[in-house]
């Protein structure tokens, strides 16, 4: 699955062992987990530190219990989130980012902050688009 393509931070071509653009590449699933709405928000929320399930659900406003559970399972399987179950009564489960998860979350948060800072431009583009589409 090795491919040659330019690296975004280096103009020289580099050999990469995976190619997300290839249909069967396993990196595609992880990219989906990280960049999906709930994955990106979950990673961003956990960047601030360990959270219990309900704390995380409150922080990621709008996510259902089922979707958060599925998202956490996927991110845990990808090695981005660590789940720590405490043997207490009632049981306590904490979620935190792994070192790899922290690296990914920092990159996701960088994109989130960039988009938040450019939302006026995006909203203006929406208006222009809607005006031209509505005129047809």
């Amino acid at each position: 699955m090795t491919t040659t393509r330019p690296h975004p931070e280096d103009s020289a071509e580099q050999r990469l062992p995976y190619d997300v653009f290839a249909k069967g590449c396993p990196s595609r699933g992880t990219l989906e987990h990280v960049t999906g709405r709930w994955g990106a928000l979950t990673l961003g929320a956990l960047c601030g530190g360990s959270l219990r399930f309900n704390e995380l659900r409150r922080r990621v406003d709008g996510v259902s219990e089922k979707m958060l559970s599925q998202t956490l399972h996927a991110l845990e399987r990808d090695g981005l989130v660590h789940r720590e179950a405490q043997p207490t009564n009632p049981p306590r489960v904490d979620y935190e980012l792994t070192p790899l998860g922290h690296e990914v979350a920092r990159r996701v948060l960088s994109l989130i902050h960039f988009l938040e800072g450019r939302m006026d431009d995006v909203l203006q583009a929406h208006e222009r688009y809607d005006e031209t589409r509505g005129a047809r």
Side-chain angles (χ1 to χ4, degrees), residues 84-104:
E84 182 75 32
Q86 305 293 330
T88 59
N89 192 9
R92 177 186 172 109
V93 180
D94 294 297
Y95 295 91
E96 63 184 343
L97 296 175
T98 64
L100 177 60
H102 275 286
E103 186 176 342
V104 172

Side-chain angles (χ1 to χ4, degrees), residues 8-124:
E9 297 169 1
D10 187 355
S11 61
E13 290 196 356
Q14 175 182 359
R15 279 245 180 252
L16 298 174
Y18 299 99
D19 180 4
V20 75
F21 295 100
K23 180 172 62 173
C25 185
S27 65
R28 194 177 274 196
T30 301
L31 180 65
E32 184 178 331
H33 300 155
V34 168
T35 60
R37 174 182 10 178
W38 304 124
L41 294 174
T42 299
L43 289 168
L46 287 172
C47 205
S50 174
L51 293 171
R52 295 175 73 177
F53 185 88
N54 284 327
E55 292 171 326
L56 189 53
R57 187 161 172 230
R58 283 190 296 275
R59 177 72 177 110
V60 181
D61 191 25
V63 67
S64 70
E65 189 172 314
K66 178 182 177 182
M67 283 309 304
L68 181 56
S69 180
Q70 289 176 355
T71 299
L72 287 166
H73 285 290
L75 295 174
E76 183 181 8
R77 184 168 187 258
D78 289 335
L80 304 177
V81 169
H82 174 72
R83 179 183 183 273
E84 182 75 32
Q86 305 293 330
T88 59
N89 192 9
R92 177 186 172 109
V93 180
D94 294 297
Y95 295 91
E96 63 184 343
L97 296 175
T98 64
L100 177 60
H102 275 286
E103 186 176 342
V104 172
R106 281 192 299 272
R107 292 169 189 256
V108 168
L109 282 172
S110 177
L111 177 60
I112 288 170
H113 294 146
F114 172 79
L115 290 172
E116 288 174 337
R118 299 301 300 264
M119 278 312 297
D120 287 340
D121 296 327
V122 171
L123 294 173
Q124 288 172 6

